[in-house]
Amino acid sequence: MKILHTADWHLGKKLEHFSRLEEQREVLDEICQIADDENVDAVLIAGDLFDVANPSIDSIELFYKTLKRLAKHGQRAVIGIAGNHDSPDRIEAPDPLARECGIILLGYPNSTIRPFSLDNGIAITRSDEGFVEVKLPNQETLLRVILTPYANENRLKKYLGDANQEQALRELLQDKWKNTANTYFDENGVNILMTHLFVTPSGDIDEDLEDEEEKSVLSLGGAQAIHTQNFPSSCQYVALGHIHSYYAVQEDPFPIVYSSSPLCYSVSDRQKEKHVVLVDIEAGKQARYQKIPLTKGKKTAQVKCQGMEEALSYLQDNPNKLIELTLVTDHHLTASERKQLFDSHQGILRIIPEFSDPELLKFTSGKQIDLSKDMMDIFSDFFMYRKNQEINEELKSLFKEIINEKVEE
């Protein structure tokens, strides 16, 4: 049985003011082509299908068209779960139509997919909360998948029916997964678990792999890291989403793998090469898998250049990247210089001046701002720093209204 594992599409994502929709269209086309070329039996999408809970019409249209193509009009099973960026209700909303194409979408950890069968051979033979057993065309072996979409810790405990709110989430998930696996997993089928959570061998997040935009999930109200030992021993493969880098968390006794996002979604993304994972698996045997690189989409870069000449040279040599440019300079950039930089490259995300003159450093760090100054003076200095011009009276009056205090002229 061949399974394609992908995750973190983030359809509708923007990087600063740049839409990524056309790049997403290209890379999803590439993923569909890989699924066809490898003749996979099923596709797993491990969460963060959209970038926001209320995505654009264009993003929704791209999502449905891609699912339909991946499903080969009902000849291939496609199973997706909600991530922390998704609205669970939106993910589950198309279920009646999706099932007619062999597409299974789960938004909540305790949702149950009703059994169904299609003329082409796809069927849900058994189901339970967060579990499906799938009969695939041209396969005698049944595919069993435990599904745990993302939810914050309080909601996960609610869905798991926890009476002890002090018990660690990882222990609750371990018990839930173990009970489900004991009921439905055996050596006569292919046994997989898919979830959208942080998973580590030790419980400590690897700083080199963690995406900056995902760090906030670990704050209060997020879901704590899950350990590899929390997964049932009867699993043959665990398909993960949430971390945007490809990462094999564990190899033995069964693989636990993050497939990566299909595109670079932040300049801080440490691993610029993106992948899907092809899993070759048989009942009762250890899964074999390989990462397949994705070639579409622009790379991102954080670059420091010494002066305008070096910056313009780099921009000219890298026309297809999305760039955060730090420019070392001995003066505030003029409007003309900024225009020259932006005109030379269509993918500049932001320009960060790094001043070599100590007198110009006072607004590069909050520690160097003179807080003894009047608020209006601080704002006027900041406006000069950002706009290279004096603040006018209209803006002064507006600022006074905002802070609701009188400032002596």
Side-chain angles (χ1 to χ4, degrees):
M1 185 182 298
K2 282 188 175 182
I3 296 170
L4 192 67
H5 167 203
T6 178
D8 295 281
W9 289 1
H10 287 272
L11 297 182
K13 173 74 174 179
K14 289 185 177 181
L15 190 52
E16 296 295 324
H17 53 286
F18 289 94
S19 170
R20 313 299 301 281
L21 194 64
E22 191 54 43
E23 293 173 78
Q24 289 173 333
R25 200 181 314 277
E26 292 176 357
V27 78
L28 290 183
D29 179 73
E30 184 177 15
I31 291 172
C32 290
Q33 191 61 54
I34 291 170
D36 289 342
D37 291 345
E38 296 293 342
N39 194 27
V40 302
D41 298 290
V43 178
L44 303 180
I45 314 170
D48 279 354
L49 312 178
F50 296 102
D51 190 57
V52 294
N54 187 27
S56 67
I57 296 297
D58 289 339
S59 302
I60 296 171
E61 181 180 4
L62 176 58
F63 177 63
Y64 291 151
K65 284 185 175 181
T66 302
L67 291 189
K68 183 180 178 182
R69 182 174 170 190
L70 283 173
K72 295 182 68 174
H73 305 284
Q75 299 177 50
R76 176 191 292 137
V78 177
I79 306 174
I81 59 173
N84 56 295
H85 284 251
D86 297 313
S87 161
D89 289 329
R90 181 177 293 278
I91 297 306
E92 292 193 354
D95 177 64
L97 287 175
R99 282 187 285 116
E100 294 300 314
C101 296
I103 300 167
I104 301 161
L105 299 172
L106 212 70
Y108 293 96
N110 63 341
S111 292
T112 302
I113 299 293
R114 288 183 298 165
F116 65 86
S117 62
L118 304 179
D119 293 340
N120 57 31
I122 292 179
I124 300 295
T125 52
R126 289 188 295 178
S127 66
D128 205 336
E129 290 187 358
F131 171 79
V132 290
E133 180 180 77
V134 188
K135 173 69 174 69
L136 301 170
N138 305 315
Q139 285 287 340
E140 293 299 322
T141 305
L142 294 172
L143 171 64
R144 289 81 169 263
V145 189
I146 295 175
L147 303 166
T148 304
Y150 179 90
N152 65 31
E153 189 160 345
N154 287 335
R155 288 173 65 187
L156 272 173
K157 288 185 175 182
K158 175 184 176 182
Y159 296 142
L160 296 173
D162 174 41
N164 179 9
Q165 291 296 313
E166 299 303 316
Q167 188 177 7
L169 172 63
R170 62 179 64 93
E171 296 174 6
L172 295 171
L173 284 171
Q174 176 176 291
D175 291 344
K176 172 66 174 178
W177 289 336
K178 182 179 179 181
N179 290 336
T180 303
N182 287 344
T183 303
Y184 297 106
F185 282 6
D186 59 39
E187 293 191 353
N188 296 318
V190 167
N191 306 315
I192 290 177
L193 190 151
M194 178 164 63
T195 189
H196 189 92
L197 292 168
F198 277 115
V199 176
T200 71
S202 64
D204 296 326
I205 299 302
D206 186 336
E207 291 292 336
D208 290 332
L209 291 166
E210 184 187 354
D211 190 284
E212 291 290 337
E213 292 192 357
E214 303 300 335
K215 285 184 178 179
S216 60
V217 181
L218 289 178
S219 61
L220 184 64
Q224 63 191 231
I226 306 304
H227 298 179
T228 52
Q229 59 263 35
N230 297 132
F231 294 102
S233 59
S234 52
C235 285
Q236 292 173 270
Y237 182 84
V238 175
L240 300 177
H242 201 20
I243 291 178
H244 289 183
S245 301
Y246 168 82
Y247 180 29
V249 186
Q250 172 180 288
E251 296 286 352
D252 295 313
F254 52 87
I256 301 176
V257 181
Y258 284 99
S259 65
S260 87
S261 58
L263 296 175
C264 290
Y265 285 134
S266 72
V267 293
S268 60
D269 196 330
R270 269 78 168 180
Q271 294 185 3
K272 304 302 182 185
E273 189 175 70
K274 298 301 181 179
H275 304 85
V276 291
V277 179
L278 181 64
V279 186
D280 196 342
I281 189 168
E282 299 178 49
K285 296 183 180 180
Q286 186 170 15
R288 302 182 301 276
Y289 70 96
Q290 60 175 308
K291 60 180 181 179
I292 299 178
L294 298 170
T295 63
K296 303 298 183 182
K298 295 180 178 180
K299 305 301 182 185
T300 61
Q302 290 174 302
V303 180
K304 179 185 286 190
C305 294
Q306 304 290 325
M308 286 288 293
E309 184 176 348
E310 183 180 332
L312 290 169
S313 176
Y314 177 85
L315 294 172
Q316 183 178 3
D317 292 341
N318 296 273
N320 296 318
K321 289 184 177 180
L322 296 174
I323 298 170
E324 180 186 88
L325 173 64
T326 297
L327 183 61
V328 180
T329 176
D330 60 1
H331 63 278
H332 290 291
L333 292 178
T334 66
S336 175
E337 288 172 324
R338 285 183 172 273
K339 184 177 186 302
Q340 186 179 5
L341 290 168
F342 280 108
D343 286 348
S344 70
H345 196 285
Q346 301 305 307
I348 298 178
L349 299 171
R350 65 181 74 88
I351 298 173
I352 304 172
E354 184 175 299
F355 298 117
S356 55
D357 183 352
E359 287 299 312
L360 299 174
L361 292 175
K362 60 183 177 180
F363 283 106
T364 61
S365 168
K367 296 180 180 179
Q368 299 183 51
I369 296 175
D370 185 1
L371 295 178
S372 65
K373 281 188 173 183
D374 179 86
M375 182 66 76
M376 179 58 73
D377 291 336
I378 293 175
F379 179 66
S380 298
D381 289 345
F382 179 73
F383 190 86
M384 171 62 78
Y385 156 68
R386 292 301 301 267
K387 301 296 184 181
N388 199 34
Q389 65 184 52
E390 296 287 348
I391 188 171
N392 60 37
E393 292 302 319
E394 182 180 358
L395 282 176
K396 280 187 177 181
S397 298
L398 180 60
F399 185 71
K400 290 177 186 179
E401 291 178 13
I402 292 173
I403 63 175
N404 195 26
E405 64 180 33
K406 294 183 178 180
V407 178
E408 293 183 3
E409 301 291 344

